[in-house]
Amino acid sequence: MSILNEEHEPLLDVQSKHNWRWFILLTFSLYSFSNSLMWITFAPCLYLFTQYYFQSQSTYTLNAINSLSSVYMLIYPIAISFTFKYFEDKKDQEQSTYYPSNGLRKGIMIGIVLNTAAGGIRYLGAIPSLYGFILLFTGQTIAAIAQVFMLSIPPRLAVAWFPENEINLATAIAVSANNLGIAAGCALTPLMIRESTMYEDIPQLLLLQFIMCLVVFILVWIAFRQFPPYLKSVTNEVSSINQSVFLWKQRKFLYMVTSYGIVMGAQCAIITLLAQILIPPFRDSLDEKHIGLLGAAMLFIGFPASIIVGCYLDHTLRYKNTLRTLFVLTAISILMLYASIEYSYLIGVVVSCLLFGLFSYAISPAFFQYASELFYPISEIIPTGYLFTVGNTGGVLLVALMGWSENNDRPFTMSIPMLGLSIAMLFGCYFIFLINGTLKRSCQMNTST
């Protein structure tokens, strides 16, 4: 007997929503883009923001600015389990029927309201003082909570609004929008803030971001007034808590979160520590500007790769082989990066970084939809939320461990940490090859048709 009691509703005027689904995807992607852009805003200009708010640089003030980014990673694992209930579809008390995806709309609207409020409070914090920083941190914390209502949504959104042959493409676009926001933040913030004019530039930057959030809020509110045509059932006779308990009892889910935690941890570690990894051994060739451009290129190149992988999966449903291939190629790119740095081969370093971005950022959408297939009819939001949770935790752990094990007595100061990361990826390859199972959602869709 299935853990969930499925209830099939007729499709809701599919033809009339043929084009509307792309507006839905656009507005949600802009929501994701704006949220990740706010997250990364302060990292590229760490010292300028420190000078702006504290007028001095010390370990404490630098860490205070860094906390504006780390609050995102701290809040997500704590809050994610509490948000699942907001995405549950509620039963109409008079008719005793479920309305498909009313929970999805409610959860997204909560997130976009928080996102917009965060943008406004951050702008109010554009005061060069401790008081301004407190307001800024408050707004950033609210933005971090808004992220919890956004990151795990793409697989569910795709199933609700897109036909079977476009589900993976839609997921890839929605997930990649978050990475594009990070890349845009890395590239744009240094261009918009100058040390000589930072007291005018920083308030203008925060104002523009608030206006962006406000526009995105209006678009999301317009888009999600419609109901989705493809989501036939989102039953809640089994609560999200019971679904979560059932999920964590599945051995293949444990394999999946372990392998995803390693690969997402590697993403976080490479992007966060890229300057520490590359500048010491290539001090005469690279500086912070080059590192920023290389990091942005790694993120941008993952976008077309995600789209290609999504289209391929929509036509073939070969999740298992695709994940295995991408994971192995990601591991090889890290080994290439390690070897290129050891032998001071700068071209090899650049190529390895781009290959890492190409393979590692294309793998996330495939993970999310594969989990949705294997553990159907559990809500897609739940396994995706836990994958992100373990991924964030893996990122924090790997960044900390690699940072602590840096050896400043060697030209390649991160040699041992990079070797350790390569070994961790090999363990990830082992776990990814243990994941197997029936594509239950696709089987159900084929049976229904």
Side-chain angles (χ1 to χ4, degrees), residues 64 107 135 140 210 214 238 257 299 302 348 437:
L135 277 176
Q140 198 73 355
F210 172 50
L214 197 58
V238 176
V257 294
L299 290 160

Side-chain angles (χ1 to χ4, degrees), residues 55-287:
Q55 292 76 51
S56 64
Q57 294 179 11
S58 67
T59 301
Y60 297 106
T61 56
L62 289 171
N63 284 336
I65 298 298
N66 280 329
S67 69
L68 296 169
S69 298
S70 60
V71 68
Y72 268 62
M73 291 183 284
L74 177 63
I75 284 181
Y76 190 89
I78 296 173
I80 183 61
S81 295
F82 298 101
T83 63
F84 292 148
K85 64 181 181 180
Y86 294 102
F87 291 94
E88 294 177 358
D89 287 353
K90 301 302 180 183
K91 181 183 290 187
D92 184 274
Q93 298 299 325
E94 295 181 1
Q95 301 181 15
S96 296
T97 58
Y98 289 101
Y99 284 101
S101 204
N102 60 11
L104 178 64
R105 180 184 186 277
K106 179 178 67 177
I108 290 173
M109 292 309 300
I110 291 173
I112 194 63
V113 168
L114 290 172
N115 197 62
T116 309
I121 295 172
R122 289 165 83 255
Y123 172 62
L124 294 177
I127 303 169
S129 65
L130 179 60
Y131 172 73
F133 176 77
I134 292 173
L135 277 176
L136 181 69
F137 185 83
T138 301
Q140 198 73 355
T141 302
I142 295 173
I145 298 172
Q147 178 199 220
V148 184
F149 288 89
M150 173 268 295
L151 276 184
S152 60
I153 303 305
R156 191 57 157 177
L157 186 78
V159 171
W161 281 95
F162 286 80
E164 185 179 355
N165 64 340
E166 293 177 351
I167 287 175
N168 288 285
L169 172 62
T171 303
I173 293 173
V175 171
S176 297
N178 192 263
N179 294 332
L180 290 177
I182 299 171
C186 290
L188 292 178
T189 301
L191 295 177
M192 297 183 68
I193 299 178
R194 295 285 185 271
E195 184 174 5
S196 59
T197 57
M198 66 177 177
Y199 289 98
E200 294 81 32
D201 295 341
I202 289 177
Q204 289 177 4
L205 175 66
L206 296 177
L207 175 60
L208 287 174
Q209 291 184 353
F210 172 50
I211 293 172
M212 173 185 65
C213 292
L214 197 58
V215 171
V216 172
F217 167 78
I218 295 171
L219 292 174
V220 169
W221 181 78
I222 294 172
F224 283 88
R225 296 180 69 184
Q226 299 284 346
F227 284 98
Y230 291 101
L231 194 56
K232 298 179 184 179
S233 62
V234 189
T235 57
N236 287 281
E237 293 180 11
V238 176
S239 69
S240 58
I241 295 175
N242 290 333
Q243 293 181 56
S244 298
V245 171
F246 175 83
L247 191 63
W248 282 105
K249 290 181 179 179
Q250 307 303 303
R251 182 174 297 180
K252 57 191 171 186
F253 183 67
L254 299 179
Y255 296 150
M256 182 169 280
V257 294
T258 301
S259 55
Y260 185 74
I262 292 172
V263 74
M264 185 173 175
Q267 291 176 2
C268 295
I270 295 293
I271 288 294
T272 303
L273 303 173
L274 194 59
Q276 289 173 255
I277 294 170
L278 296 184
I279 288 181
F282 297 100
R283 195 174 299 277
D284 295 333
S285 305
L286 298 176
D287 56 24

Side-chain angles (χ1 to χ4, degrees), residues 13-30:
D13 194 10
V14 176
Q15 186 62 37
S16 66
K17 304 228 178 21
H18 181 72
N19 295 319
W20 195 260
R21 70 186 188 279
W22 296 109
F23 184 50
I24 288 283
L25 183 60
L26 172 65
T27 57
F28 179 83
S29 297
L30 289 173

